[in-house]
Amino acid sequence: MNFRIQNDYLTAIIKDAGAELTELIDQDHVQYIWTADPTYWGRHTPILFPLVGKVTNNKYTVEGNEFTVGQHGFARDLVFDVDHQTTSAITFVLRSDEKTKTLFPFDFTLKVTYTLEYKTLSIGYEVINEDTKEMFFKIGAHPGFRCPLFEDETMEDYTITFDKEEEVTFMPLTPEGYFKRDVQKCMTTPLELSAELFAKDALVYGDYTSKYVTLASQKHNKQIEVGFDGFPFLGIWSPLSPSPFVCIEPWYGHADFEDEASELSTKSDLNHLMPHETFTCTHTITIK
């Protein structure tokens, strides 16, 4: 089922399946969210929970018990309930059950709130540990944006620019989708988009102080600003074949390193929650 929120500037459509944003349309009727054409990538803006990326061989252990779960976890594939809704905001909720505990052995509540204010859509995440033991998880966003937006341009007309030029960590991936330990340093110079830019999979950054990036074309004045204040990692991805979209992905956590141990509690860059504690984070999409 689809749900609409709107104000004078933007309309957002979110479906209860995965609590996934499927449309973001401005007052000029421009649609910014990727259409999920399965020829290229059959999703719009999936929520990544309780994992970001892949664990080795899609398996991990907790207290000696093995669990199998696919890339990016399972929240994106489950139907959320609507907690409450107003004209310009809506909150979805996913609660653990017997099915989720075969994949992730913790009791939890995950809430996702979409709020429109002026020309910004805020997406807030709330993870509550409902268990009697410490919980370990990762969480992230994977929004896809149409690129190009208009028929008279191509992806090569677009750039992604960090709000600060600074030295950051660049995390290279193996062909199997795991991170290498030999992280590199690079400057946040504007990225000129092309299919070849993603020849080695996603571009993943950390150790930045930047709080947003801007996706812009040289052929028109429409811009998308993705805010990720507080998120320790940012992924940028498009399939290698020429694809009319790009994903800008704020993460709390990332895929396994290539030599990562199987025990969940020992994995890198985890979020830890004690019983009845709550974790929150918010990222934004602003149309300029």
Side-chain angles (χ1 to χ4, degrees):
M1 183 178 295
N2 293 327
F3 297 84
R4 176 190 300 265
I5 58 174
Q6 60 189 57
N7 62 14
D8 292 338
Y9 305 97
L10 295 172
T11 297
I13 307 295
I14 309 102
K15 61 181 181 179
D16 56 1
E20 186 177 11
L21 173 70
T22 61
E23 298 185 46
L24 185 62
I25 303 169
D26 69 10
Q27 58 198 126
D28 297 324
H29 309 291
V30 177
Q31 161 68 280
Y32 292 89
I33 299 300
W34 168 239
T35 60
D37 180 348
T39 303
Y40 302 99
W41 183 58
R43 297 183 187 269
H44 304 275
T45 61
I47 294 167
L48 317 182
F49 177 85
L51 298 174
V52 173
K54 298 169 65 175
V55 292
T56 305
N57 298 321
N58 294 326
K59 298 180 185 296
Y60 68 92
T61 58
V62 175
E63 298 178 345
N65 297 309
E66 187 175 78
F67 298 86
T68 301
V69 62
Q71 185 175 19
H72 296 318
F74 52 75
R76 62 184 185 172
D77 298 317
L78 299 180
V79 175
F80 286 60
D81 295 319
V82 174
D83 191 57
H84 61 270
Q85 181 178 9
T86 65
T87 301
S88 59
I90 187 169
T91 297
F92 295 87
V93 61
L94 178 69
R95 295 182 173 88
S96 57
D97 57 22
E98 292 306 310
K99 179 180 179 180
T100 67
K101 292 186 78 169
T102 65
L103 304 170
F104 181 64
F106 300 96
D107 289 316
F108 67 86
T109 298
L110 170 62
K111 293 184 178 181
V112 183
T113 299
Y114 294 88
T115 305
L116 285 172
E117 186 173 357
Y118 189 49
K119 296 183 179 181
T120 295
L121 175 66
S122 298
I123 304 99
Y125 304 89
E126 183 177 354
V127 181
I128 305 169
N129 182 0
E130 309 282 9
D131 216 307
T132 58
K133 58 183 179 290
E134 186 177 12
M135 186 171 82
F136 314 99
F137 69 95
K138 302 180 181 184
I139 190 166
H142 200 313
F145 300 100
R146 293 177 58 231
C147 182
L149 287 173
F150 302 105
E151 292 183 357
D152 64 342
E153 54 181 7
T154 67
M155 175 184 278
E156 285 73 14
D157 294 315
Y158 283 76
T159 58
I160 293 177
T161 305
F162 284 77
D163 71 294
K164 296 180 182 178
E165 185 174 354
E166 58 182 324
E167 186 178 67
V168 298
T169 296
F170 177 76
M171 302 173 62
L173 285 155
T174 70
E176 296 75 28
Y178 307 113
F179 284 104
K180 299 178 182 179
R181 290 286 184 182
D182 58 336
V183 296
Q184 303 164 12
K185 293 290 185 178
C186 67
M187 299 299 295
T188 54
T189 52
L191 296 172
E192 298 181 357
L193 297 191
S194 67
E196 290 73 24
L197 183 64
F198 306 101
K200 295 182 179 180
D201 209 329
L203 310 178
V204 180
Y205 302 93
D207 296 325
Y208 42 72
T209 63
S210 292
K211 296 182 179 179
Y212 63 86
V213 296
T214 302
L215 175 65
S217 170
Q218 61 181 336
K219 288 192 173 180
H220 60 78
N221 61 1
K222 297 285 188 183
Q223 297 184 357
I224 302 170
E225 180 185 289
V226 179
F228 47 87
D229 189 11
F231 284 77
F233 302 99
L234 183 74
I236 300 174
W237 172 79
S238 186
L240 178 57
S241 59
S243 304
F245 73 95
V246 64
C247 294
I248 303 173
E249 310 172 36
W251 300 340
Y252 268 89
H254 53 73
D256 275 5
F257 285 104
E258 56 187 336
D259 58 352
E260 200 93 58
S262 65
E263 174 59 35
L264 180 62
S265 64
T266 68
K267 291 186 182 296
S268 304
D269 300 301
L270 277 172
N271 304 293
H272 296 241
L273 269 184
M274 297 304 292
H276 311 301
E277 285 187 343
T278 300
F279 168 94
T280 61
C281 60
T282 300
H283 76 92
T284 57
I285 301 169
T286 300
I287 305 304
K288 304 177 71 175

